[in-house]
Every structure is written in structure tokens, then in C-alpha cells.
Amino acid sequence: MSRQQTKLIDKYARTMPGKRQDMQVLALGLSRTGTMSLQAALNKLGYKCYHMAEVPNNKKKGHFWCWHEAMLSKFNGTGPKYTPADLAHLLEDYSVSSSGSDVDQNETPLTPIQAVTDIPCVLFSDELLTAFPHAKVILTNRDPDRWLQSIEKLYSIITWKSMSLLARFEPDIGKYLSILQMAITSWTYPGSDWQDRSQLRAGFLRHYQHVRESVPPDRLLEFRSEDGWGPLCAFLEKQAPADRYPFVNAGNELFHIHYALVAVTAMSLIVKGLLWVAPVGVVLFGVWKYYV
């Protein structure tokens, strides 16, 4: 009998033991189709929405490492396989109280209100659909050719020398770059070179067709950011906010986000270096003073 492999996710205690999540929204459109704008919109409607941008906020919970392990298993066939239950476990901390959000305050406290969008979640669409069979599904979309132009920004970021350098000293950055590479590879042809763009358009269309075939029409909304609040709120049965629908991470904002990531990570490494060097310097200075 083969020994069951231990998963990193098993190291992290469940935040709500014995209580199954009530995931309400699975946004399964690919990155660069308005996923961050949708995250902002869903947060505005009272959901707490998980997006790739949330992964760094959960470093202590091992999100970089757990997602990386799950992707290695799914796309490379190495390591333990993550089940739908494992992914639900990983996302548990995103069950939140309805108090304080734009929802009925008469609802029972601690009612889980949750949503996910963007990578890494979208790379596990089938698993999440199995884990949360009653969740409503939003398929953010855009013109495939414009998507191809936008995805070039990810290729550019992955090849930044500054990112590669930081990855040598900050393991989480290394995991992040690997996640991006595996994501792009899965949209081209699994097992191929992540820089091979020849199958990228077909992979985009294949993903959307697969989701359409996997979700009943009454649970599926095809959505573009320019559609605004109307169809989204009607689908989710929410009142439309008076504010304009959010548009974020457009144009070169993706570059600016990663410039900030590089700067913050580099500064953190410098501070850690100084904290290590300073005591050594004090000791050496003391030795020098003693003998000189």
C-alpha cells in the first residue's frame, strides 16, 4: 500500500472546524478580463472576494506555497493532488460576517459570504465547481485579440531581471513567478514551453467553452466590465450602488503594481540584511576596541 503524501495545506488549522463554507460566487474568467475590477465590485456588494492580489496578504497562511504545490500536482504531475475539499480548506479564511457590509443587518451573524476571481482559483475551475455546486458563476470576458495584447504584460513581468534576482532571496517571489508561468502554460498547452504563444488564443477560447458546458445557464452570467452594475446586480439579486462600476488594473496599472511589489520586497530584504549586519558590526567593533 502506497503511503499517502502529506500536503502543505494540512499544516494549517481550519478556521471554522466542522462548518462547511457557503461560497456564493465563482468568477471563472481568465486574468486580464476585468477580474480585479470585478473583485472591487463584489467587495462593494458585500462579498469578500479572493483574487491573486490577496495571496501576498496570506503569506503566513502559506498561500503562495499551497497554491504552488496544488499547481505542480495538477499541471506537472508532481506532488500530492489537491482535492476540491483541500481547495475549500485553503479558502476558508474568506468566510466573513455579514455585519458591517452592504447587506441586510437582520441576517444571522457569521453567515459566510464569499467569492473568488482570477488566478490561482480560475486554474481550478472544475474543482471549485465540484466543491461549491450551488455557487453562481460569472464568466468575465473580452475580445480574444485584445486579451492577447494584454497578456503580453504578464510575459514582460515574468522576464524582468529584477523579479528573477529577488526570487533568489525571497522564496515567495520565486513561487509567484512559477505560478504565473504555470498559469500561462495551462492556457497554451499543458507541458509546453510557457513562452510558446502559438496556442494561447485557442486556449482562451477552450477555457470559456468548457465553463459554458459545465455550468447550467441559470447559474451563469457572461460579463464584461463595460456592462456595468445592471446585469451583475440583477444576476446576484443585489441593489445596484449609486457609484460608477469600478475600473481598476487597466492599461499599465499592472506594471505599476509590480513596480511596487519589487520596491517593497527589495526594501524588506535590505532591512532584514541590516538587522543581521548591525549586531555583527557591534560585536566586531567591540572586539576591535578591546584589542586596539
Side-chain angles (χ1 to χ4, degrees):
M1 181 180 296
S2 62
R3 185 178 177 182
Q4 186 176 6
Q5 291 179 288
T6 301
K7 304 167 189 172
L8 290 174
I9 189 63
D10 296 331
K11 294 172 55 179
Y12 299 91
R14 297 181 184 277
T15 54
M16 298 191 306
K19 183 178 178 64
R20 184 172 176 81
Q21 292 172 289
D22 182 20
M23 181 78 73
Q24 294 195 7
V25 179
L26 299 174
L28 301 181
L30 296 187
S31 301
R32 309 305 298 162
T33 61
T35 57
M36 187 173 279
S37 295
L38 181 62
Q39 180 201 23
L42 291 173
N43 286 338
K44 180 70 177 178
L45 293 175
Y47 302 91
K48 189 171 184 181
C49 185
Y50 189 92
H51 180 282
M52 184 69 212
E54 296 295 327
V55 176
N57 298 330
N58 289 271
K59 289 174 60 174
K60 292 182 179 179
K61 299 167 187 172
H63 280 211
F64 272 124
W65 293 77
C66 290
W67 283 117
H68 186 258
E69 182 179 62
M71 291 174 67
L72 281 177
S73 176
K74 179 167 184 174
F75 299 120
N76 294 359
T78 59
K81 180 180 179 180
Y82 273 54
T83 66
D86 290 326
L87 297 180
H89 179 180
L90 182 56
L91 292 167
E92 265 182 349
D93 282 343
Y94 279 77
S95 292
V96 297
S97 169
S98 63
S99 59
S101 59
D102 296 333
V103 294
D104 186 358
Q105 295 300 307
N106 294 322
E107 289 182 356
T108 303
L110 300 179
T111 299
I113 299 178
Q114 193 169 36
V116 298
T117 184
D118 197 57
I119 62 170
C121 293
V122 70
L123 303 171
F124 297 87
S125 295
D126 289 340
E127 292 85 349
L128 292 176
L129 288 170
T130 298
F132 306 107
H134 303 296
K136 292 187 175 183
V137 177
I138 300 172
L139 202 52
T140 53
N141 206 343
R142 71 184 301 182
D143 175 75
D145 293 321
R146 294 190 63 185
W147 179 77
L148 288 172
Q149 295 173 10
S150 183
I151 213 69
E152 282 294 329
K153 296 182 175 68
L154 283 183
Y155 280 107
S156 175
I157 289 167
I158 293 173
T159 57
W160 283 359
K161 291 182 179 180
S162 57
M163 293 287 276
S164 299
L165 179 62
L166 288 175
R168 297 182 182 183
F169 301 97
E170 176 51 71
D172 285 335
I173 295 295
K175 292 291 182 286
Y176 176 56
L177 289 177
S178 182
I179 286 171
L180 292 182
Q181 290 178 5
M182 283 191 283
I184 292 176
T185 301
S186 74
W187 301 334
T188 53
Y189 188 84
S192 67
D193 181 354
W194 66 271
Q195 297 185 79
D196 178 11
R197 294 154 168 82
S198 62
Q199 298 295 320
L200 197 54
R201 192 179 195 278
F204 177 91
L205 297 174
R206 184 170 58 247
H207 171 81
Y208 281 82
Q209 188 59 32
H210 177 70
V211 174
R212 293 183 187 110
E213 293 173 353
S214 302
V215 181
D218 63 324
R219 283 178 46 220
L220 178 65
L221 172 68
E222 298 233 15
F223 182 75
R224 299 186 181 220
S225 294
E226 55 265 32
D227 295 338
W229 290 115
L232 178 65
C233 292
F235 179 66
L236 298 176
E237 300 180 31
K238 298 280 188 178
Q239 184 175 353
D243 300 343
R244 181 174 175 265
Y245 183 85
F247 286 91
V248 296
N249 200 19
N252 289 325
E253 285 186 41
L254 184 66
F255 289 142
H256 298 153
I257 291 171
H258 285 83
Y259 292 150
L261 175 64
V262 167
V264 170
T265 304
M267 184 59 65
S268 175
L269 290 171
I270 290 171
V271 170
K272 288 179 182 178
L274 290 175
L275 291 176
W276 180 84
V277 169
V280 175
V282 170
V283 171
L284 292 176
F285 179 76
V287 171
W288 177 78
K289 290 289 289 183
Y290 181 81
Y291 284 103
V292 175

